[in-house]
Amino acid sequence: MTLLGVSTGVLADRTDLTGLLAYEPDVVEFYNYPRSMLAAIEAFCARHGIRAALHTPVPYDEPGPLRRFAPTGPDRDEAAAALRMTEATVRCAADLGAVHVVVHFPSPYPPYPVAGFDTWCRDFLDAACALAREHGVRVLVENLSAHPLLRTAAHYRDALAGRPELGLCLDVGHAHLLGPEQGPLAYARALGPAIRSMHLYDTTAARYPEHGHEPVRAGRSAAEGYLATAEVLPALLDLTGAGVVVLEHRPPAPGDPAPGEIARLVRAVIGRPRSPDPAAWSPAPRTPSEPARPTPTGPARPAHT
């Protein structure tokens, strides 16, 4: 069975975790929470039988929001800060027994220099592999749609080749914005079981700049510019065996479907029996390591691109 997840991005009040329960999730993906909330997060998950997942950065203790998360530079100080945040999140995930850690990759901001880009990508991914092995945590890079050198399915397939400790969190909306030839099905065909989770929401190329991540709802079609989730999601799951589908819309607004309705719509697809590879959402194999060090912190949360 594919698990239903929900991102804490759906909450208008991010401290009120009970707002997640209307989705009846199997997994909650926590994003941008301070260290002071970790005990409450652990207790909430234990009390409701929920598996935690983390989206970098967690913990995040800076007073202001993170405007840039730039793992591939070209500013090397920004790249080092992104790696510190990733390490902190992986360590936190190990402590919480989290299903996975999601990391935005690559840096989505211009300029996009060609010189050095391959090295910057390799350095970050190699470091992420080492963290996954050391802490026994599955690390998933999330596809973005801005960087011209790493945006298509083939780009991500090549970047992850030979790195079994890593996987892809397929952001279905980001892929959809690339158009039908490079969209989610192209990712699923190219990466197959390397896609271990998905972020799911509705959007169109015209609506995304103003409306961002909209809740999925029944009846939306490709003719309107949407993905037609009810038809495409089953194919994505059949091609990938992804273990978790995470609802990642903005807080519902007036006129949006209720949380329970959104969850039932997706459950109708993913709730049927499947036989995905259990490793699709199990932690990565852990190797012996030194005692845990204090968790570093860094500058903070980017707007979700």
Side-chain angles (χ1 to χ4, degrees):
M1 296 276 288
T2 299
L3 303 180
L4 177 66
V6 62
S7 166
T8 52
V10 307
L11 295 174
D13 178 357
R14 295 175 54 256
T15 65
D16 183 11
L17 301 181
T18 60
L20 300 164
L21 297 177
Y23 295 90
E24 298 185 358
D26 305 304
V27 174
V28 169
E29 192 170 281
F30 295 91
Y31 182 34
N32 195 42
Y33 278 86
R35 195 180 314 273
S36 60
M37 278 287 293
L38 295 181
I41 286 171
E42 188 169 19
F44 172 81
C45 290
R47 183 163 59 250
H48 297 288
I50 290 169
R51 297 286 304 275
L54 300 183
H55 190 308
T56 307
V58 177
Y60 177 65
D61 294 318
E62 298 298 317
L66 177 63
R67 298 301 181 188
R68 291 170 64 92
F69 182 85
T72 57
D75 184 306
R76 304 319 296 151
D77 289 338
E78 284 192 327
L83 183 57
R84 287 196 299 273
M85 284 186 271
T86 301
E87 180 177 3
T89 306
V90 171
R91 289 180 178 277
C92 184
D95 291 341
L96 293 174
V99 172
H100 61 241
V101 165
V102 173
V103 186
H104 283 168
F105 185 80
S107 305
Y109 322 106
Y112 303 115
V114 175
F117 182 70
D118 287 346
T119 299
W120 303 332
C121 287
R122 184 186 66 240
D123 289 350
F124 182 84
L125 293 176
D126 287 349
C129 284
L131 288 169
R133 287 193 301 268
E134 179 182 354
H135 298 287
V137 172
R138 184 73 65 189
V139 177
L140 308 180
V141 301
E142 176 184 344
N143 58 297
L144 303 177
S145 53
H147 203 296
L149 301 178
L150 208 168
R151 68 199 298 256
T152 68
H155 291 157
Y156 279 95
R157 178 197 62 208
D158 293 346
L160 294 175
R163 294 184 168 96
E165 302 90 345
L166 306 182
L168 186 81
C169 172
L170 174 60
D171 188 294
V172 174
H174 291 166
H176 178 58
L177 292 176
L178 296 177
E181 296 301 317
Q182 297 291 344
L185 286 171
Y187 272 82
R189 294 184 185 110
L191 286 113
I195 296 173
R196 302 182 182 275
S197 74
M198 299 184 201
H199 284 165
L200 187 67
Y201 51 90
D202 263 347
T203 193
T204 74
R207 292 180 62 84
Y208 189 81
E210 180 179 354
H211 299 278
H213 297 199
E214 301 178 63
V216 296
R217 65 171 72 211
R220 284 180 166 169
S221 69
E224 301 171 289
Y226 290 101
L227 180 65
T229 301
E231 290 76 35
V232 176
L233 182 56
L236 294 176
L237 292 172
D238 287 338
L239 287 164
T240 67
V244 189
V245 172
V246 177
L247 301 172
E248 203 201 31
H249 50 262
R250 53 155 171 73
D256 284 336
E261 182 181 348
I262 298 167
R264 285 191 295 274
L265 177 66
V266 179
R267 284 273 191 200
V269 177
I270 71 171
R272 59 191 174 90
R274 298 183 177 279
S275 301
D277 178 358
W281 59 276
S282 298
R286 182 166 185 162
T287 56
S289 63
E290 72 275 12
R293 299 185 293 275
T295 302
T297 60
R301 145 175 194 170
H304 215 303
T305 38

